[in-house]
């Protein structure tokens, strides 16, 4: 972290007077003393590690030769705090999970903050603390960062872009293009919890049974699945656009069709109730702690058993299979024995869900 | 790129109807069909490579074992287009340069876009094209991306966060903490061009001699400096906060003082004129294509000669030296034989300069 990465040296080596403001000021993004103060007060204490402490423009670390996974995600969720999590936890877990979907072990993260002038420093502190806990839980180090401040009315409180690198220890090819007819589609648990929670929070719904975001790191689950034997062809975390969109991506990329069994797709009762109230189809609602795996039928039971042994995969089950289909459709066999084509998400059902 | 990285398979495998809008809509950030359309129309054609084409949530590539550099920067510059560049070029070069300051060869970049509803798609196209050219010039591949859209009035057109990884082939320790008394401070060329250009554009100044941002990739310059022999202790690109702030960071981190010779610090006449008009001190104004190197005195001439052989370092010169100073001050010996303490940037001289 430095004047560009994020400044700077001064913060550690001199006594920086504590800012007397409880709000983000434009000067906090200047790259000068106030930025150094912000880093010394908020970012370094939360994320302290030997890479970040160098306060250089970049982190330098050793890697063994092999395959590296690299990913990025901007996070613009509103509200910033919601039942079960906040933007900080989401930003860490989202990037961890994008690495996990390659079967990588996540190692290092970066975080770039865009803050609106006037944003509460107390809220920033809570967000950073939450990121720190999520990083510890996922056993990743936040090693590089940046802070920019934009004038009032030119952002919405706090946006966070996280990027990450991880090592891929296995030599398998896991990609959305890897599904083959005959493969089984496994879902790791009940769907639509994150998106429904966000929409309920925005609508300020009173709920009998409170629901929570499912935001969680999934890399340990994936590493166990890889250990189990069997052939994993695709992995996807069905975030924005939900299960329907993720499976359409797999079908399109793999030039195959997918047939789903509606009754095997778990949706918890309170989630289903709120979806009905808000007119949402759970298949299109974002998840932040679930994964879809497309696996060869032989060995699928071993993968499923490995998933069910972990809390993140306790409710894992087969929800469908890959078929030959020149139209690359995703088709849902409904409870009433009908068929419905499940298309990709159209339009903007759920903006700013992550 | 996928529903989370950025979607999706659909964009390549099916005929996506071209959107009939010339503006960014909320649906472009939904993770569904419209996001896929945006990727197929703008991002894939500009950045096409085998990693991005997989449309997975992450890029996976081979690395040799050794030291890897990793960095991130959010870009919020206003205006988005300015003489000599735009936010896209700045985002690529900024991340390339943060890697270069570790002596790394930049390899792979990611880009996360936060777009405001209503932003012009034609402008997005120009920005993406500019990023593509900058990436080609720096010989880096953009391999991962993300797009989010926020509602009108919740961002300012377009923010871009770029992250990057590069390999560090040398085994030297280059860090802001590496300066030692006796070392020389080298500056690669005239200062304050980027920041002055941005401020002049904002003030809508009529200029006799037009000035331009100096945004440029510096990694080839650094690799030549490393080849030259001699000992490089610190490297910094003096972006936000300018030369003054970067040298204060080095002084603070290295627990040393720095003495600068004002008359050796090059400022082009039109830049100096506009700084005077706008009340800016060039020492605090951002550069986007310059570097500071702190080097051991023996061998400094070889490093300087290597710099001067390249266009990015043609005007390189020694501007000062590192001294023993328990206060870690940066002191400027002025033209009139006075001394002035050059502190870190205070407050918010130049918000949203990059």
């Amino acid at each position: 972290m430095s004047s560009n990465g994020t400044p700077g040296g001064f913060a550690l080596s001199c006594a920086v007077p504590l800012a007397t403001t409880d709000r983000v000021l434009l000067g906090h993004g200047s790259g000068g003393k106030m930025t150094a103060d912000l880093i010394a007060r908020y970012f370094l204490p939360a994320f302290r590690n030997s890479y970040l402490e160098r306060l250089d423009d970049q982190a330098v670390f050793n890697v063994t030769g092999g395959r590296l996974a690299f990913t990025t995600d901007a996070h613009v969720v509103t509200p910033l705090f919601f039942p079960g999590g906040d933007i900080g936890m989401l930003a860490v877990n989202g990037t961890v999970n994008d690495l996990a979907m390659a079967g990588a072990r996540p190692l290092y993260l970066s975080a770039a903050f865009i803050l609106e002038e006037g944003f509460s420093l107390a809220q920033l502190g809570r967000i950073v603390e939450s990121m720190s806990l999520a990083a510890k839980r996922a056993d990743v180090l936040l090693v590089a960062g940046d802070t920019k401040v934009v004038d009032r009315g030119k952002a919405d409180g706090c946006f966070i872009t996280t990027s990450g690198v991880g090592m891929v220890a296995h030599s398998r090819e896991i990609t959305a293009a890897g599904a083959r007819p005959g493969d089984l589609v496994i879902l790791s648990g009940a769907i639509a919890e994150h998106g429904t929670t966000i929409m309920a929070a925005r609508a300020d719904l009173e709920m009998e049974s409170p629901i929570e975001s499912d935001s969680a790191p999934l890399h340990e689950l994936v590493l166990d699945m890889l250990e189990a034997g069997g052939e994993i062809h695709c992995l996807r975390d069905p975030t924005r656009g939900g299960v329907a969109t993720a499976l359409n991506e797999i079908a399109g990329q793999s030039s195959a069709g997918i047939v789903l069994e509606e009754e095997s797709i778990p949706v918890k009762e309170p989630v289903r109730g709120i979806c009905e109230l808000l007119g949402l189809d759970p298949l299109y609602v974002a998840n932040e702690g679930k994964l879809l795996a497309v696996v060869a039928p032989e060995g699928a039971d071993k993968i499923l058993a490995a998933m069910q042994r972990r809390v993140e995969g306790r409710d894992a089950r087969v929800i469908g299979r890959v078929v030959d289909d020149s139209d690359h459709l995703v088709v849902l066999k409904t409870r009433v024995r009908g068929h419905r084509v499940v298309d990709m998400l159209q339009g903007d059902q759920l903006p700013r869900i992550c």
Side-chain angles (χ1 to χ4, degrees), chain A:
Chain A
M1 293 199 163
S2 91
S3 62
N4 197 13
T6 357
F10 206 82
L12 280 187
S13 55
C14 304
V16 175
L18 288 185
T20 52
T21 172
D22 59 354
R23 299 274 156 190
V24 170
L25 305 177
L26 278 174
H28 285 123
S30 66
K33 258 189 180 150
M34 290 177 65
T35 314
D37 184 25
L38 195 71
I39 292 167
R41 290 175 71 199
Y42 292 94
F43 298 121
L44 271 182
F47 302 120
R48 190 173 292 282
N49 61 61
S50 61
Y51 304 98
L52 206 60
E53 276 171 5
R54 293 166 64 104
L55 297 168
D56 280 325
D57 281 336
Q58 70 300 112
V60 174
F61 42 79
N62 286 302
V63 290
T64 55
R67 294 203 298 162
L68 200 78
F70 177 37
T71 189
T72 195
D73 264 318
H75 297 272
V76 299
V77 65
T78 180
L80 295 170
F81 302 90
F82 45 81
D86 57 54
I87 189 173
M89 176 202 214
L90 207 61
V92 170
N93 287 341
T95 290
V96 162
N97 288 347
D98 278 349
L99 295 172
M101 294 310 118
R105 178 172 287 284
L107 295 174
Y108 301 105
L109 299 191
S110 67
F113 293 81
I114 298 174
L115 304 175
E116 185 185 5
E117 181 188 11
F119 184 61
S120 151
L121 283 170
Q123 288 199 6
L124 180 64
R126 282 174 60 197
I127 290 167
V128 166
E129 187 55 35
S130 167
M131 292 181 80
S132 165
L133 288 173
K136 283 194 183 83
R137 179 175 170 198
D139 199 19
V140 293
L141 292 178
L142 193 145
V143 296
D146 186 38
T147 311
K148 295 280 157 52
V149 179
V150 299
D151 17 333
R152 207 178 287 264
K154 299 296 186 187
D156 194 13
C158 173
F159 301 146
I160 307 175
T161 298
T162 37
S163 302
V165 295
M167 288 303 297
V168 183
H170 64 85
S171 57
R172 305 182 220 187
E173 186 75 354
I174 298 175
T175 166
R180 302 173 206 163
D183 283 354
L184 299 179
V185 179
I186 296 176
L187 172 66
S188 67
I191 65 168
E193 292 171 8
H194 175 74
T196 307
T197 301
I198 297 295
M199 294 307 280
R202 275 193 227 158
D204 219 357
L205 288 186
E206 296 273 334
M207 280 173 282
E208 280 180 44
S209 319
I211 57 170
E212 284 197 345
S213 169
D214 59 341
S215 176
L218 297 172
H219 59 295
E220 296 287 357
L221 177 65
V222 172
L223 293 172
D224 280 6
M225 292 166 68
L226 288 166
E227 280 269 303
E231 275 182 39
I232 300 175
H233 294 155
C234 320
L235 284 171
R236 266 290 153 98
D237 54 336
T239 56
R240 270 190 301 176
V243 165
T245 301
L247 289 180
N248 267 284
E249 287 170 19
I250 290 172
Q253 292 265 92
S254 300
S255 304
I258 293 176
V259 176
L260 299 175
E261 304 281 343
E262 184 176 30
E263 64 185 8
S264 64
I265 300 173
V267 185
K268 287 183 189 152
E269 229 16 84
V271 172
R272 188 184 299 280
I274 293 169
C275 282
E276 279 170 12
L277 197 66
L278 295 173
L280 302 172
D281 180 343
L283 280 176
Y284 289 92
V285 177
N287 309 274
E288 293 288 344
K290 297 301 176 320
L291 65 78
L292 290 161
V294 177
V295 307
E298 50 281 5
D301 51 342
K302 283 189 282 187
I303 294 168
L304 203 53
M307 293 176 76
Q308 289 163 345
R309 276 194 291 274
R310 293 194 65 94
V311 62
E312 312 95 289
R314 201 178 43 210
D315 297 325
R317 65 194 71 185
V318 174
I319 62 163
R321 62 200 162 80
V322 181
V323 297
D324 254 326
D325 176 2
S326 58
D327 293 329
H328 317 154
L329 295 180
V330 178
V331 173
L332 186 73
K333 287 168 69 178
T334 62
R335 284 168 216 276
V336 294
R337 304 198 170 271
H339 287 73
R340 171 161 77 88
V341 172
V342 178
D343 206 349
M344 235 176 165
L345 176 64
Q346 310 269 358
D348 56 345
Q349 188 188 25
L350 295 171
R352 302 190 60 187
I353 214 73
C354 59

